Amino acid sequence: YEADVQLYASRQSFGAADNYSKLSASLSAAFATGPHSVQLAVRGAGPASGGELPLYELFSLGGFLELSGLRTGQLVGNAMAFGRLVYNYRVSAPGLLDGAYVGASIEVGRIGDAVTGASSAATRRGNALYFAFDTPVGPVYLAYGRGDANNPTVYPVPVATASVTVSLGSAVVSSIGVTVTVADAKPAATVSTL
């Protein structure tokens, strides 16, 4: 189980370019027995004090396991709600590639106050079927995703993950999770906390 709540406040009086506040929350859980595992994750985010966020702080959805079937970051807006259920079955024991899996996901999400994406304020759905294997440098996926608008996408997804946390005393100034993926044969970078 993991839960995370973050409140971020930007103030010009402290040297920031804009005044705004944003709030995000996430909850995830994983359960496993034998070769079977299930992962559940939900998250939401938006402005904490009403109003709009600056363009560089907007939230996005779309891409593998974040509304599969859509392009990475296809939906962008001022607020976001997202949930997914992922099932994995281990088809090989750890060895040279540390294990291989087949899996499926069910995803649902919504972007509020959208700035891109047709009908992005509506609740959107996505599903994925995938084959994954662990390597010494991280997992690699071959996936097929389909969104609610019958938009199929194949994801040859090598995934590299890095995390950066900047601390000042006991206060965390910035925490960023970066996932770099290749989807729709176009490189894309997304910032993700889930």
Side-chain angles (χ1 to χ4, degrees), residues 34-36 88-103 131-135:
H36 307 278
N88 286 308
Y89 179 77
R90 182 186 287 258
V91 294
S92 73
L96 176 63
L97 298 177
D98 294 329
Y101 307 85
V102 294
F131 175 74
F133 58 94
D134 293 328
T135 71

Side-chain angles (χ1 to χ4, degrees), residues 8-185:
Y8 178 86
S10 173
R11 299 292 176 256
Q12 290 175 328
S13 59
F14 290 124
D18 298 299
N19 283 325
Y20 65 93
S21 299
K22 67 178 184 174
L23 178 64
S24 64
S26 64
L27 176 64
S28 60
F31 309 94
T33 179
H36 307 278
S37 68
V38 175
Q39 303 154 15
L40 174 66
V42 293
R43 72 174 192 243
S49 57
E52 293 189 12
L53 297 174
L55 291 177
Y56 55 87
E57 289 288 356
L58 295 176
F59 304 100
S60 67
L61 284 175
F64 180 58
L65 298 181
E66 289 202 1
L67 292 183
S68 298
L70 299 178
R71 289 184 317 275
T72 301
Q74 182 174 341
L75 305 178
V76 178
N78 207 39
M80 178 266 302
F82 176 75
R84 74 173 168 225
L85 178 66
V86 178
Y87 169 77
N88 286 308
Y89 179 77
R90 182 186 287 258
V91 294
S92 73
L96 176 63
L97 298 177
D98 294 329
Y101 307 85
V102 294
S105 71
I106 299 171
E107 308 140 24
V108 63
R110 178 185 190 97
I111 288 286
D113 297 328
V115 296
T116 63
S119 304
S120 54
T123 300
R124 305 292 295 265
R125 290 169 181 72
N127 302 293
L129 296 173
Y130 60 88
F131 175 74
F133 58 94
D134 293 328
T135 71
V137 294
V140 175
Y141 295 83
L142 178 60
Y144 171 80
R146 181 179 280 286
D148 55 7
N150 288 329
N151 40 349
T153 306
V154 174
Y155 299 97
V157 187
V159 177
T161 305
S163 258
V164 177
T165 301
V166 179
S167 297
L168 184 61
S170 62
V172 172
V173 175
S174 174
S175 179
I176 302 171
V178 178
T179 304
V180 178
T181 64
V182 176
D184 297 334

